[in-house]
């Protein structure tokens, strides 16, 4: 009997010990699972789901972000690629042979408000900005001649000027002599080298583009101009004067158009430019320059192509609305 009791006690002890070992093993396994699960969760936070490929390899979210940034930069650069002329450095193109001692190559008065954009081989109309209290003169060599024509473009109250150049034979490397005059001991000469042709540089506008100039451009309506146009109508902002110049002649003819109070304007082109007997008038492929100047001297420029004659046998010009 005693032996039987002893055996039962030993079995009980063994069962208790086995139960304890099993419990410890389950706790250890549970703790290991929790640690592994926490590590996986931490990795998921560090690496977004959309950066994991189908084969389990990690893609770089930073690379995608950089690509997106580069795409945005490229799109922005497209906007910045709009053709704008560079500017001549006054000191580099100064034509003063004997500057006064200590005065530098350019008179300080000539630098006030000065902006001389590049002139390109394909430039038809050139414009820039000087001190409005000064004047500017261009020495233009006549084609196939050694003679020089002096041209003094009108300067607005804001200092803007514009000059048709299509009558010249511009070649890259040639030089154009320019003088700025007024309120200085002597006139200031600049020697401007012609630059190689670039797209969009047929009309070189002053880089002093203002909101007012843009307002004029947005409000101006210029209908198509045909070779057989004799009366022309258009519209711009009230208070803006309109002047038109031929572009393709060596010395351009100009005329002022009549502007109504509300900005509608019109002009007679039946004999513009003046034509002697047997001479041809405006021809397809030539150009006209429209200058829009407001009361404060802000200048907006429009370069218009002359089209082939209208097919309408009764065409006289655009209809005034």
């Amino acid at each position: 009997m005693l032996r039987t009791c002893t055996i039962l006690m030993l079995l009980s002890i063994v069962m208790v010990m086995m139960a304890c070992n099993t419990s410890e093993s389950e706790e250890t396994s549970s703790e290991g699972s929790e640690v592994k699960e926490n590590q996986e969760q931490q990795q998921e936070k560090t690496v977004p789901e959309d950066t994991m490929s189908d084969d389990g390899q990690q893609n770089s979210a930073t690379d995608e972000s950089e690509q997106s940034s580069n795409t945005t930069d490229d799109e922005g650069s497209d906007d910045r690629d709009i053709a704008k002329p560079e500017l001549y450095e006054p000191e580099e193109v100064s034509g003063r042979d004997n500057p006064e001692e200590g005065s530098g190559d350019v008179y300080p008065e000539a630098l006030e408000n000065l902006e001389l954009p590049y002139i390109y081989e394909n430039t038809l109309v050139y414009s820039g900005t000087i001190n409005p209290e000064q004047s500017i003169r261009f020495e233009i060599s006549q084609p196939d001649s050694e003679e020089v024509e002096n041209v003094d473009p009108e300067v607005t109250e804001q200092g803007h000027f514009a000059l048709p150049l299509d009558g010249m034979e511009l070649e890259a490397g040639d030089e154009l002599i320019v003088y700025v005059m007024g309120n200085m001991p002597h006139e200031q000469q600049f020697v401007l080298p012609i630059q190689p042709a670039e797209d969009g540089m047929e009309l070189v506008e002053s880089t002093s583009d203002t909101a007012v100039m843009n307002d004029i451009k947005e409000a101006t309506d210029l209908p198509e101009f045909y070779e057989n146009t004799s009366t022309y109508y258009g519209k711009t902002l009230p208070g803006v004067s309109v002047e038109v110049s031929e572009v393709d002649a060596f010395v351009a003819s100009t005329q002022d158009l009549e502007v109504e109070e509300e900005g509608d304007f019109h002009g007679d082109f039946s004999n513009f430019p003046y034509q002697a007997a047997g001479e041809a008038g405006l021809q397809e492929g030539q150009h006209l320059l429209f200058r829009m100047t407001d009361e404060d001297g802000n200048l907006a420029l429009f370069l218009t192509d002359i089209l082939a004659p209208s097919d309408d046998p009764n065409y006289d010009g655009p209809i005034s609305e």
Side-chain angles (χ1 to χ4, degrees):
M1 185 70 171
L2 179 61
R3 184 178 178 182
T4 300
C5 291
T6 302
I7 293 172
L8 291 174
M9 289 178 63
L10 290 172
L11 289 172
S12 298
I13 293 171
V14 170
M15 291 177 66
V16 170
M17 291 178 65
M18 290 177 64
C20 290
N21 289 337
T22 301
S23 176
E24 290 176 359
S25 176
E26 290 178 351
E27 290 177 0
T28 302
S29 176
S30 175
E31 290 175 357
S33 298
E34 291 178 359
V35 170
K36 182 177 181 181
E37 184 177 357
N38 289 338
Q39 290 175 345
E40 291 177 348
Q41 290 178 353
Q42 185 64 31
Q43 289 178 351
E44 290 176 355
K45 291 181 181 180
T46 304
V47 182
E49 290 181 0
D50 58 0
T51 65
M52 300 297 294
S53 64
D54 294 338
D55 58 2
Q57 292 183 348
Q58 179 180 337
N59 296 326
S60 173
T62 303
D63 290 345
E64 291 183 1
S65 176
E66 289 176 354
Q67 290 175 359
S68 174
S69 175
N70 290 338
T71 301
T72 302
D73 291 342
D74 291 342
E75 292 175 353
S77 65
D78 290 341
D79 294 336
R80 292 190 295 269
D81 286 342
I82 296 175
K84 281 191 174 295
E86 296 186 49
L87 297 176
Y88 293 109
E89 292 291 339
E91 291 79 6
E92 294 180 3
V93 296
S94 172
R96 292 179 62 195
D97 295 328
N98 299 300
E100 297 174 5
E101 184 177 355
S103 65
D105 294 333
V106 181
Y107 289 116
E109 297 86 348
L111 295 175
E112 297 177 10
N113 210 41
L114 180 68
E115 287 190 356
L116 295 176
Y118 277 4
I119 303 174
Y120 297 84
E121 195 173 23
N122 58 327
T123 297
L124 303 179
V125 175
Y126 179 71
S127 67
T129 306
I130 62 172
N131 186 329
E133 297 181 357
Q134 296 176 332
S135 59
I136 188 168
R137 172 177 295 164
F138 289 78
E139 280 190 0
I140 299 179
S141 299
Q142 297 186 15
D144 303 322
S145 173
E146 295 182 357
E147 296 185 10
V148 173
E149 185 83 17
N150 291 325
V151 180
D152 298 47
E154 181 180 353
V155 178
T156 73
E157 294 180 10
Q158 295 292 331
H160 305 306
F161 65 86
L163 178 70
L165 292 175
D166 196 35
M168 295 184 59
E169 298 177 354
L170 299 177
E171 293 186 5
D174 288 349
E175 295 176 335
L176 194 61
I177 308 300
V178 178
Y179 296 93
V180 175
M181 301 166 289
N183 300 324
M184 294 180 290
H186 302 283
E187 59 190 18
Q188 172 67 59
Q189 184 190 72
F190 295 106
V191 181
L192 309 183
I194 306 302
Q195 306 299 309
E198 286 191 16
D199 291 340
M201 292 304 166
E202 290 78 11
L203 172 60
V204 172
E205 297 188 80
S206 169
T207 58
S208 299
D209 207 14
T210 66
V212 177
M213 292 180 183
N214 290 329
D215 290 342
I216 297 174
K217 291 182 178 181
E218 291 177 1
T220 298
D221 177 32
L222 294 177
E224 293 180 328
F225 198 106
Y226 295 93
E227 185 178 307
N228 55 336
T229 296
S230 58
T231 304
Y232 187 77
Y233 296 90
K235 187 175 181 63
T236 188
L237 285 177
V240 171
S241 65
V242 181
E243 182 186 71
V244 63
S245 303
E246 58 175 337
V247 174
D248 305 88
F250 178 69
V251 179
S253 298
T254 64
Q255 73 168 336
D256 295 324
L257 304 188
E258 185 174 345
V259 184
E260 306 293 339
E261 185 175 350
E262 295 182 355
D264 297 286
F265 62 85
H266 64 275
D268 181 4
F269 288 82
S270 58
N271 197 32
F272 178 85
Y274 172 76
Q275 306 153 43
E279 290 183 350
L282 297 173
Q283 300 292 306
E284 175 189 1
Q286 294 181 335
H287 310 83
L288 290 175
L289 172 65
F290 285 83
R291 293 179 174 91
M292 312 293 185
T293 310
D294 71 3
E295 297 172 345
D296 296 323
N298 295 295
L299 176 65
L301 301 175
F302 298 84
L303 189 61
T304 299
D305 296 331
I306 298 176
L307 306 179
S310 171
D311 295 333
D312 183 355
N314 297 318
Y315 177 80
D316 174 68
I319 299 175
S320 176
E321 298 182 356

